[in-house]
Every structure is written in structure tokens, then in C-alpha cells.
Amino acid sequence: MHLRRPRQLLCASLLLALLLLWGLLLVTEDARGAWVVSGRFPLARGRPLWRWCFGGAAPAPSGVNFPSLLASPGAAPRCEPGQVLLILVTSAPGNWEQRRVIRRTWGAQDEPAPFHWQAVFLVGQAADAGTASRIRQEQQDFGDILVGNYRDTYRNLTLKVMHGLKWAAERCRPRYVLKTDDDCFVNTDRLPGFLAQLDPVPARLYAGSVFSREKRQVIREPSSKWYVSRQDYGPDKYPPYASGIGYVLSLEAAAQVLAAAERVRPIPVEDAYVGILAEAAGIRAQASTRFAKHNVQWRVCNYRYLMVIHHLSPPQQEAARRSMLQARNACRDSLEVTRWR
Ligand SMILES: *[C@@H]1O[C@H](CO)[C@@H](O)[C@H](O)[C@H]1NC(C)=O
């Protein structure tokens, strides 16, 4: 054992002092009985005090394994510098139709955008070789897919989003990141401009459709898609978190969430996990009614306000894009809302 660190020296001297004291006590017969407590002295290997004194480095981190995620195969998407917004879209390998329709609706940039933004699809490893090679081809054709080296399953969604955020924060560095799904509509005509007018850039921005307290119960039913064991997450309720349909993080907030992910054990519920990380980083979830969980009959004027709408079929994506473009000139007399709600 090398006594290099002050903590070890301190512990060693304490131990020595205790041994000396014991020796003194032994001299007196009747002190013997009192020494029975010594059985509880944490000298055994692995006991907390022993570990604290001589255990060396802290136990291995239980958080997300980022080096393995970043060692993903294939070429990463291109990423232009100076973007206001990077949109990360989770997508299953077989969702060709969803990706195709997004590329020609809200993901299309037919005219130069006043505020630079980009959409990237997050796709994992397909179960069969045929699908995997089609994904590689699709990435070659469009350059907009970040292929991960995790198996693409619902229970791996957390890994998918952590991979996307890490790539965004380290390789792309946009001012803001939006995480969304491929069955969602994103108002790309307004969101980049809305974010660009936030001045200064809020360092700790985490905004979306935040769940109420009643909807933050941790599901302990093992057959559920959202099952989380007590070992993985102890409390009965999640902290306030934004629905995975869409949430915006400023680059600084994303970096802090990622730093927390290195120490906090992941759970398969991706949006709740981001909420747990935000709480660990001291970032408050900003609730916003601009993120709609339901695709009701939104009117053209609503497209001057809404930023994300959930649950659209490919034909509905086409209709939503038309409404978004009409909203440029329609309803101009309605008040322009410049805040989150
Ligand atoms: C997640 O991906 C990893 C790596 O491919 C795989 O070993 C694991 O089985 C996957 N987990 C689930 C729950 O699908």
C-alpha cells in the first residue's frame, strides 16, 4: 500500500492512534467488556470507511457509456457551423416513409433560411442486414442520418437520444437543439426565428410540454413499455420533464445534461431521463403550450404560434406544411406571441 494521499495519511494515523488506545485499554481488565463493540469497526475490506480511506478511485461511473456510443459506424451527417437550431428526429430503421415525407415537408429548405437550421435523423442498428444496408445507402444519398451502434429498440431510445445530443454538443455546436420524433410536425418556418430573438441565449433553457405531477408516476408494471425498476430509479415520481414529442435545449443546457448523464444511471424512458438529468444539473423545465401533444384540427392561425405538433400521418404532414406557409400571410392582425406561453 502506498501512502501518497493526505487522506490515506490521515486515516493511517487515526488507525495507529486507535491501536495505541486499544493497547492502553487492554491493560485494564474491566475495559475488555467495552471493547466488544470493536466487532463493528469497519475494518473489513469493502466496508465504507475502509473504502473511503484506501479504496482508491471512486467506483466506476454508472451513467451512459459515451465512448461506446461515439464509436458508431459509418459517416456522420454533415453539419454546417453557425446554426441556430439543430433538430434531432428519432426514427426507426424501417420508417422510410416518415423520413421521406419530412424531407419534403417541414424538413425541406427550398429557399435560403434567414436563420440556419438543420434536421438530422437518429437511427440505430437494424435487426436485419437488408435494412441496415438500405440505411447506409439512405445516409449516402441524403447525409442526414446519424447511425448509432446500439440496437434500434424502444428500450434503447435513451441511448439514441444521448448519442444524438452528444454528437450535437461536441461536433455540431448549434445554438439550440430540438429533440423530436418522426411522427411530429416541426414549425421550421418559425422556431429558428423565435429562438434567434431570445437574447441573450438562455444558458439553462429546457422547454417543452411539461407533464403535470399526476402524470409523472414511475411505472413499476414489468410488462409496460415504460417499466422502470426501483434499482434503476428509486423515487415514485419523476421530476418535472418535457414530453419526448419535442423539447428544446440551449447548447449550454445540453452540455450540462450530458455531463449529468455520465454519473446518473440511464432508464429506458428517454424524456423522463432527460428530466432527471436536468434536475441533477439544476435546470428547471420551462412549460410551453407551443408544443402540442395532440393533432386536433389546428387552424392556419395556430401555425403562427405552435412549434411542435405530435401524431401526424404522412398526408397530415403535407397539410401541416401548407398551413405553416399560409400562416406567413394569414392572421397578421393577431398578436405575435414572443414568449414560451
Ligand atoms: C440496446 O443496444 C445494445 C447494443 O446494441 C444491445 O446489446 C441491447 O440488447 C439493447 N437493449 C435493448 C433493451 O434492446
Side-chain angles (χ1 to χ4, degrees), residues 58-199:
S62 53
V64 174
N65 184 351
F66 284 109
S68 126
L69 281 179
L70 283 177
S72 289
R78 59 185 164 71
C79 173
E80 271 114 55
Q83 289 185 67
V84 171
L85 176 65
L86 175 68
I87 306 173
L88 299 174
V89 190
T90 55
S91 185
N95 286 2
W96 332 100
E97 183 55 19
Q98 282 86 337
R99 290 191 291 274
R100 197 177 65 87
V101 85
I102 285 173
R103 286 188 190 106
R104 65 160 199 256
T105 56
W106 62 259
Q109 304 201 32
D110 320 321
E111 44 197 279
F115 305 100
H116 292 280
W117 62 271
Q118 180 185 347
V120 164
F121 296 99
L122 307 178
V123 179
Q125 291 299 311
D128 65 295
T131 307
S133 90
R134 274 185 75 184
I135 293 287
R136 275 195 299 276
Q137 187 58 49
E138 192 181 339
Q139 157 61 3
Q140 266 172 35
D141 293 346
F142 298 98
D144 62 358
I145 303 182
L146 183 66
V147 182
N149 63 356
Y150 49 83
R151 246 182 354 111
D152 199 299
T153 60
Y154 187 75
R155 302 282 289 178
N156 264 345
L157 188 57
T158 298
L159 294 183
K160 174 176 282 196
V161 172
M162 287 298 124
H163 179 215
L165 284 178
K166 189 75 172 177
W167 176 78
E170 288 194 351
R171 310 280 161 83
C172 203
R173 302 193 62 77
R175 228 183 286 172
Y176 298 91
V177 182
L178 168 73
K179 182 267 151 180
T180 189
D181 296 336
D182 66 2
D183 66 343
C184 293
F185 170 82
V186 179
N187 192 337
T188 44
D189 204 43
R190 275 177 193 264
L191 185 54
F194 172 82
L195 293 170
Q197 53 104 30
L198 301 178
D199 186 32

Side-chain angles (χ1 to χ4, degrees), residues 44-68:
R45 231 195 131 66
R47 297 274 183 86
L49 183 58
W50 182 264
R51 261 216 310 270
W52 184 80
C53 291
F54 305 108
S62 53
V64 174
N65 184 351
F66 284 109
S68 126

Side-chain angles (χ1 to χ4, degrees), residues 16 57 66 69 124 192 238 254 258 286 310 319 322 327 334:
L16 201 64
F66 284 109
L69 281 179
Y238 293 120
L258 287 164
Q286 162 75 58
H310 179 219
R322 282 192 297 274
S334 65

